[in-house]
């Protein structure tokens, strides 16, 4: 008989479960927008209602290869998430006097 995840989860330490949650969150961040929306159990129609656009606009947004950060932020926040943007520069460039 297969083990149920909720039964296995009860045996995990809080630290192990937090580590697993971090890995899941990291992988979700790599998914295309449509897959993230589906993982959140949200339809294009519902997301369109929240963003006050039509369903076709959501479909187009999910197929785009680039968009404004403000558009992406709105999309993510409508699903209950937050967008975190990080800029990283090599240290030698930051410390360079040239």
């Amino acid at each position: 008989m297969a083990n149920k995840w909720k039964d296995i989860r009860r045996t995990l330490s809080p630290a192990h479960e937090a580590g697993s949650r971090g890995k899941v969150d990291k992988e979700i961040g790599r998914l295309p927008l449509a897959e993230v929306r589906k993982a959140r159990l949200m339809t294009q129609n519902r997301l369109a209602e929240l963003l006050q656009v039509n369903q076709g606009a959501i479909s187009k947004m999910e197929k785009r290869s680039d968009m404004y950060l403000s558009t992406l932020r709105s999309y993510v926040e409508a699903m209950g998430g937050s967008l975190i943007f990080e800029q990283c520069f090599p240290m030698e460039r930051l410390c360079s006097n040239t």
Side-chain angles (χ1 to χ4, degrees):
M1 185 167 124
N3 294 322
K4 293 183 180 178
W5 171 243
K6 67 180 180 179
D7 294 333
I8 295 170
R9 191 172 169 201
R10 288 185 187 132
T11 66
L12 301 176
S13 70
H16 187 82
E17 189 168 343
S20 295
R21 169 54 46 200
K23 289 177 185 177
V24 168
D25 290 343
K26 186 176 180 179
E27 289 303 312
I28 287 174
R30 296 178 188 196
L31 293 174
L33 289 177
E35 294 302 318
V36 174
R37 176 182 49 76
K38 291 173 187 175
R40 300 282 301 155
L41 304 175
M42 189 173 286
T43 65
Q44 285 184 343
N45 285 328
R46 178 63 183 139
L47 189 56
E49 288 173 16
L50 293 170
L51 293 173
Q52 298 178 345
V53 297
N54 62 43
Q55 177 272 328
I58 300 299
S59 178
K60 286 180 185 178
M61 191 183 306
E62 291 178 347
K63 292 176 184 174
R64 293 188 63 149
S65 61
D66 67 340
M67 68 178 70
Y68 289 115
L69 286 175
S70 58
T71 302
L72 180 58
R73 176 179 285 118
S74 297
Y75 183 99
V76 170
E77 288 177 353
M79 290 189 295
S82 60
L83 182 65
I84 299 171
F85 181 77
E86 180 179 69
Q87 288 184 186
C88 299
F89 299 96
M91 289 304 293
E92 62 271 9
R93 287 191 182 164
L94 287 178
C95 300
S96 174
N97 291 327
T98 58

